[in-house]
Amino acid sequence: MILYPAIDLKGGRCVRLVQGDMDRATVFGDDPAAQAAIFAGQGFSWLHVVDLDGAFAGAPRNAAAVDSILATVDVPLQLGGGIRDMKTLEGWLAKGVARVIIGTAAVRDPEFVREAARLHPGKVAVGIDAKDGRVAVEGWAQTSSMTAEELGRRFEDAGVAAIVYTDIARDGILKGLNVEMTLALAEAVAVPVIASGGLASIDDVHRLLEPDCALIAGAITGRALYDGRIDPIAALAAIAAARPAAS
C-alpha cells in the first residue's frame, strides 16, 4: 500500500476543505513547494496534488505552484483538477507530472480517458468522487446520476493506472475512511483503487493493512498530517513492516 500526502491548492496556497466546500478552507501554508519538500524528506514515495481552483474552473489555475513543486522535489507526483482535454493532460506530463487524474471528464467524456490511457500507459488515473452514493463532478459542485461502481466499470478495460475514490461526506472531517465502499469498488473492478476522504489516525492506516483490505492499493492523507494527528514516520514504518519480504 502507498500512502499519499495531499497538497490541495487554492489561490497558490496549501489548504484543506471540509466536504469539498471551497468556502470552508483552512490554509496550512503559503509555500506548496516547501510543503512538498517536507513530505519528501519524511520519506513519502508519492505526492498527491489537487488544483482545487482548476477543478471548479475546468482548466489549470495553480500552474505556478505545481511547477514550483516539480522543480523542488524528485518524488513522483499525481495531479488532479481541471484536466479535461488532451492538451492540458500532455502539458502536465511533459512538465514531469508522473500521473494525471481525470475526474469530471471521466463522466462527461469517457472516450477522452480511453484515448489518454492508450497514448500514455501507466500515467492516467480516474478520480471518482462520490456524494450520497452518486458521482460528483465540477469540483464536487454537481452530482450525476451515476454510481461509483458504474463509473469504475466503464474504464475496466481502458488501461487506466488507478482509480482515486473519495467519499466527499468524509473528506476533511477526520471521521475515518469509508473502507466498506472503497472495498466494494475495489472488488467490482480490476483497476487498483486508492482510498481518499476522512483518513484520521494511525488506526486507519493499520486498518488498511489488514488482510481484507489487500485490494486497496493506497490511501490519501491530508488534514490528519497537517494537524499532527498522524506521525508520518510511524505510518510509513507500519506500511514498510507489512510488506512481504523480498524473495
Side-chain angles (χ1 to χ4, degrees):
M1 189 191 78
I2 297 172
L3 191 62
Y4 298 78
I7 299 176
D8 290 355
L9 302 171
K10 182 176 186 284
R13 300 188 291 178
C14 298
V15 307
R16 292 302 294 168
L17 304 185
V18 175
Q19 297 175 328
D21 187 344
M22 289 287 271
D23 293 327
R24 300 167 71 191
T26 302
V27 177
F28 283 101
D30 293 326
D31 190 340
Q35 184 61 63
I38 290 170
F39 287 147
Q42 289 169 337
F44 287 99
S45 58
W46 276 82
L47 297 179
H48 175 80
V49 179
V50 179
D51 180 349
L52 294 171
D53 300 302
F56 280 87
R61 289 292 182 269
N62 284 281
V66 178
D67 290 345
S68 180
I69 292 170
L70 289 168
T72 302
V73 300
D74 293 328
V75 178
L77 183 155
Q78 67 176 16
L79 173 69
I83 302 171
R84 299 183 192 172
D85 58 57
M86 197 66 77
K87 181 179 179 181
T88 301
L89 184 150
E90 292 183 335
W92 282 126
L93 293 179
K95 285 186 173 186
V97 170
R99 186 159 67 206
V100 292
I101 304 168
I102 303 173
T104 294
V107 177
R108 303 274 169 81
D109 189 5
E111 288 309 310
F112 162 53
V113 177
R114 291 180 172 277
E115 180 69 0
R118 184 185 69 80
L119 292 173
H120 304 285
K123 295 182 178 294
V124 176
V126 169
I128 299 181
D129 307 322
K131 193 181 221 176
D132 298 324
R134 301 290 169 177
V135 174
V137 295
E138 305 291 346
W140 302 353
Q142 300 177 24
T143 305
S144 73
S145 61
M146 188 176 299
T147 68
E149 289 184 26
E150 287 170 343
L151 183 57
R153 289 194 183 101
R154 174 183 283 183
F155 301 108
E156 183 75 46
D157 59 350
V160 298
I163 290 172
V164 179
Y165 174 71
T166 303
D167 184 331
I168 296 171
R170 293 179 182 238
D171 193 65
I173 63 171
L174 301 167
K175 293 296 185 184
L177 292 166
N178 189 336
V179 173
E180 182 180 356
M181 290 299 296
T182 307
L183 271 176
L185 178 60
E187 290 167 355
V189 299
V191 182
V193 173
I194 298 167
S196 176
L199 196 149
S201 70
I202 193 70
D203 290 340
D204 288 314
V205 175
H206 288 306
R207 174 70 185 92
L208 291 171
L209 295 173
E210 292 178 7
D212 65 316
C213 288
L215 286 176
I216 298 177
I220 294 165
T221 176
R223 186 176 291 271
L225 267 182
Y226 292 98
D227 282 350
R229 294 168 188 260
I230 289 183
D231 177 349
I233 305 303
L236 292 173
I239 293 168
R243 290 195 184 106
S247 57

